[in-house]
Amino acid sequence: MNYAELRELRTALSSAGDIAFALEADPSGEQAAALVDALRRALAAAGALSGEHGATGCSQHPRGAVDPLYGDPEDPLPPGYGKCLLCNDRRRRASTQRPGRP
């Protein structure tokens, strides 16, 4: 287990706890969806602690950081991007260095 994996797990659990304690007696669909998302991230982070490819699912960077935009419905990643922040950053840099791009 490395620091990035542990931090991801703690952040997801903390977020889930904050959302759960803020719930009202009859939570809205948005509140429930936010709680489910935080719990899924926590479960994925916990499962990645012993996984071969870690939280990123990346064979090159199994212990790397998860891209914070992964799974964000308001600002989705482009098609083909995965969870690995390092690989996604490399893709972003490569797309800005192509000839003919502003």
Side-chain angles (χ1 to χ4, degrees):
M1 169 187 332
N2 68 21
Y3 179 74
E5 291 171 327
L6 187 57
R7 186 181 67 221
E8 176 68 20
L9 176 61
R10 288 177 178 167
T11 299
L13 287 172
S14 177
S15 295
D18 291 346
I19 294 167
F21 283 110
L23 289 177
E24 300 169 5
D26 188 21
S28 69
E30 186 177 300
Q31 288 174 316
L35 178 59
V36 168
D37 179 57
L39 290 171
R40 282 188 180 138
R41 285 188 298 118
L43 183 60
L49 294 178
S50 63
E52 182 179 314
H53 292 296
T56 64
C58 177
S59 60
Q60 291 181 316
H61 310 105
R63 304 287 183 211
V66 174
D67 192 324
L69 294 179
Y70 181 80
D72 186 347
E74 293 179 15
D75 191 13
L77 291 168
Y81 280 47
K83 288 184 182 181
C84 181
L85 178 62
L86 297 171
C87 288
N88 289 349
D89 184 53
R90 185 178 59 225
R91 287 182 186 103
R92 286 181 188 104
R93 290 175 190 225
S95 69
T96 61
Q97 294 175 358
R98 288 188 188 140
R101 295 205 68 152

